[in-house]
Amino acid sequence: MKTIRLKNISDYYFDKAWELYEDAFPIEEKKTLDEQIVDLQNDDYHFDVIIEKDQFVGFNLWWNFEAYNYIEYFATSAQHRNKGIGKLVLEKFIDTNNKQIILEVELPISNINERRINFYKRIGFKLNEHYYEIPSLRKSKSPLQLLLMSYPGFISKKDVDFFIHKYHPIIYNKTTK
């Protein structure tokens, strides 16, 4: 299994990755293609596709910030789910990291959301209970409440506030309020 970093929407695996992105996340959590193009121009942003035997199996879209590595989107294609690939990819990501890793999960109000949280917990991520929301990614929508998970340990409310203040403007291409 290998990881390839894409830098442009014209790169070979981008269309397959974008199709999975469109299918894997609810509209209120997705950026537009134009926003993705802006992200790809940022050196801190990694659009990494996962390839197994020359076949696209998923992606890890993450930010390499000074204080954290933040996984913004992670998904494996439907035909490759429940085969341990996601676990292997995240374990490799963890092994090559020397920073606190954080990611967002939806509130545990459905079976699928609870399954996702438990997947990350089995890998060693901690579920932080601090109130957390992201700005609306769609006009006329409210901010979206989520939870943060972190590896290898929990993060404090102060860490959450710092992450929001310092990195949300970069992640969401917005200025702070």
Side-chain angles (χ1 to χ4, degrees), residues 1-172:
M1 188 168 4
K2 65 181 176 178
T3 301
I4 299 172
R5 183 177 182 184
L6 306 185
K7 294 292 284 175
N8 195 295
I9 64 169
S10 64
D11 289 345
Y12 184 70
Y13 290 104
F14 185 84
D15 288 342
K16 286 193 178 293
W18 194 252
E19 182 180 331
L20 174 58
Y21 175 84
E22 289 288 350
D23 289 341
F25 299 96
I27 192 160
E28 60 271 8
E29 294 180 25
K30 290 189 288 199
K31 292 182 176 179
T32 65
L33 182 59
D34 288 340
E35 290 167 321
Q36 190 62 236
I37 290 168
V38 170
D39 288 348
L40 284 165
Q41 295 169 5
N42 189 315
D43 288 338
D44 292 331
Y45 183 68
H46 293 251
F47 193 116
D48 292 346
V49 293
I50 302 131
I51 309 301
E52 175 72 31
K53 299 177 184 169
D54 295 324
Q55 186 178 18
F56 171 81
V57 297
F59 59 71
N60 183 15
L61 312 183
W62 62 283
W63 294 86
N64 181 19
F65 292 129
E66 185 179 340
Y68 304 100
N69 281 332
Y70 164 64
I71 298 173
E72 186 173 13
Y73 300 99
F74 177 78
T76 54
S77 57
Q79 64 267 34
H80 295 96
R81 288 186 192 133
N82 300 315
K83 296 180 180 176
I85 292 173
K87 181 178 185 266
L88 287 173
V89 169
L90 286 175
E91 287 174 342
K92 182 178 178 182
F93 185 78
I94 288 167
D95 289 344
T96 60
N97 256 293
N98 58 357
K99 298 178 191 173
Q100 182 99 23
I101 302 168
I102 56 177
L103 57 84
E104 298 162 345
V105 291
E106 295 163 330
L107 301 177
I109 55 176
S110 72
N111 189 28
I112 190 74
N113 292 0
E114 288 179 11
R115 285 179 56 209
R116 277 191 199 109
I117 290 168
N118 288 329
F119 165 76
Y120 290 118
K121 280 182 174 180
R122 286 191 301 274
I123 296 169
F125 281 84
K126 308 298 185 209
L127 181 64
N128 297 276
E129 299 290 339
H130 311 296
Y131 182 83
Y132 177 76
E133 67 181 22
I134 63 170
S136 173
L137 296 177
R138 299 288 174 251
K139 289 183 167 84
S140 76
K141 296 278 185 183
S142 300
L144 181 64
Q145 186 179 354
L146 300 169
L147 290 171
L148 287 175
M149 295 190 78
S150 53
Y151 182 94
F154 290 99
I155 57 176
S156 69
K157 174 70 170 113
K158 184 178 177 181
D159 294 329
V160 172
D161 293 341
F162 171 81
F163 177 74
I164 291 167
H165 177 75
K166 176 110 177 171
Y167 299 120
H168 271 204
I170 300 166
I171 296 164
Y172 300 108

